[in-house]
Amino acid sequence: MFDLNGDGDVDCEEFEKVAALIRQQSSIGSRHRDHANTGNTFKGINSALTTYFFGPKLNEKLTIEKFLDFQQQLQKEILSLEFQRKQPDENGRITEADFAELLLAYAGYPAKKKARMLKRVKKMFRDHGVGITKDDYLKFFHLLNNINDVDTALTFYHIAGASIDQPTLRHVARTVAHVDLHPHLINVVFTIFDENMDGQLSNREFVAVMKNRLLRGLEKPKDTGFVKLMYSLIKCARDTKPALLDF
């Protein structure tokens, strides 16, 4: 979308054009654009980002490899900040309850249900909790980046009548997301979602909560505006050209 001339890379001018277009469709971006009450804050951030992508003279090219590396570093930094906010102990571990709170941050559960889930985790690991390391935390969110493939795999297990137990989830994580989750981490996840404690995971609820966690509350069109823009374009096209788009 950003590569307007089709040369395989993105230059500063191309990046600015598309970024400006997306900002115009966002309520937050519009406020920054108009500088009504935000001053030049966004301009400063945008300037630093373009300098990082295109060099101090803005004459370098942004390759997809460089952008993906930036995306990976940003994701890791955000997750590290979230982890540090829970104040790890001297061994660099957070409690199982802290991990559960981070996992359920955007679940949208009623307060009573969320409190019940956290209480279950605290009770289970009160006497023999070993904590969660940052490496385990990062590995789990690597799994979330592949949540759609995980969803497909778990659905096939469910259709086949196979139970989704702890070894199954670990196997799916290893084969689909290529990440080896620690058995203790998987045990904590099952404790969170296994309400009747039968050792089986409700894959629909688990996947739904994990998708919300991955989006961090940005799933609604009003937050970014871009999804709303695309929906409006499709709806307009359908209204004006029904014969072409009515499949």
Side-chain angles (χ1 to χ4, degrees):
M1 187 173 69
F2 282 82
D3 183 15
L4 301 179
N5 63 4
D7 65 350
D9 297 321
V10 175
D11 60 35
C12 186
E13 184 179 357
E14 291 172 331
F15 181 82
E16 286 292 342
K17 283 181 180 178
V18 181
L21 176 63
I22 294 176
R23 283 199 300 272
Q24 289 172 11
Q25 307 306 318
S26 162
S27 57
I28 295 175
S30 297
R31 289 200 298 272
H32 281 296
R33 179 195 62 197
D34 298 335
H35 302 304
N37 51 18
T38 57
N40 292 323
T41 305
F42 186 82
K43 185 177 180 181
I45 296 172
N46 197 44
S47 176
L49 190 61
T50 52
T51 301
Y52 177 81
F53 283 154
F54 305 103
K57 296 183 179 179
L58 305 181
N59 59 351
E60 298 178 12
K61 294 280 189 177
L62 174 61
T63 64
I64 190 168
E65 290 80 13
K66 184 175 180 180
F67 185 80
L68 289 174
D69 180 63
F70 164 78
Q71 182 189 37
Q72 186 178 21
Q73 289 185 52
L74 178 62
Q75 175 91 353
K76 185 176 180 179
E77 187 66 25
I78 291 172
L79 292 172
S80 297
L81 288 171
E82 289 177 348
F83 187 85
Q84 290 300 324
R85 284 187 65 186
K86 290 300 182 180
Q87 299 179 341
D89 61 19
E90 63 275 6
N91 297 316
R93 296 172 179 265
I94 60 174
T95 67
E96 288 80 2
D98 286 337
F99 174 73
E101 287 181 353
L102 289 170
L103 218 57
L104 299 174
Y106 302 97
Y109 284 141
K112 286 186 178 180
K113 180 173 182 177
K114 186 176 179 180
R116 191 165 62 246
M117 298 170 90
L118 292 174
K119 183 179 180 180
R120 187 162 61 243
V121 173
K122 290 177 182 177
K123 182 179 179 180
M124 174 67 72
F125 300 101
R126 180 181 297 141
D127 298 325
H128 57 277
V130 297
I132 303 295
T133 67
K134 188 170 81 169
D135 185 56
D136 287 335
Y137 187 66
L138 294 176
K139 282 183 178 180
F140 187 79
F141 277 89
H142 178 75
L143 173 71
L144 296 196
N145 286 331
N146 298 271
I147 192 62
N148 289 323
D149 293 332
V150 171
D151 185 15
T152 301
L154 293 178
T155 299
F156 277 120
Y157 270 95
H158 182 71
I159 292 174
S163 62
I164 301 174
D165 53 15
Q166 295 191 29
T168 298
L169 182 60
R170 190 179 186 192
H171 175 70
V172 168
R174 190 184 295 118
T175 55
V176 174
H178 308 293
V179 60
D180 190 14
L181 298 181
H182 195 282
H184 178 68
L185 179 71
I186 295 178
N187 189 21
V188 176
V189 171
F190 268 70
T191 303
I192 296 171
F193 292 98
D194 185 11
E195 293 210 19
N196 59 4
M197 301 301 289
D198 65 349
Q200 309 299 315
L201 188 69
S202 170
N203 63 307
R204 300 315 312 166
E205 184 177 21
F206 168 71
V207 169
V209 173
M210 293 305 96
K211 286 182 177 179
N212 288 340
R213 182 60 182 84
L214 184 62
L215 292 170
R216 290 189 175 87
L218 294 175
E219 70 278 6
K220 297 178 182 178
K222 67 180 178 61
D223 291 320
T224 62
F226 185 64
V227 175
K228 187 176 181 181
L229 167 66
M230 298 306 296
Y231 176 78
S232 300
L233 289 173
I234 293 171
K235 186 176 185 302
C236 180
R238 282 177 176 162
D239 290 343
T240 55
K241 297 288 185 181
L244 293 176
L245 294 175
D246 187 16
F247 297 111

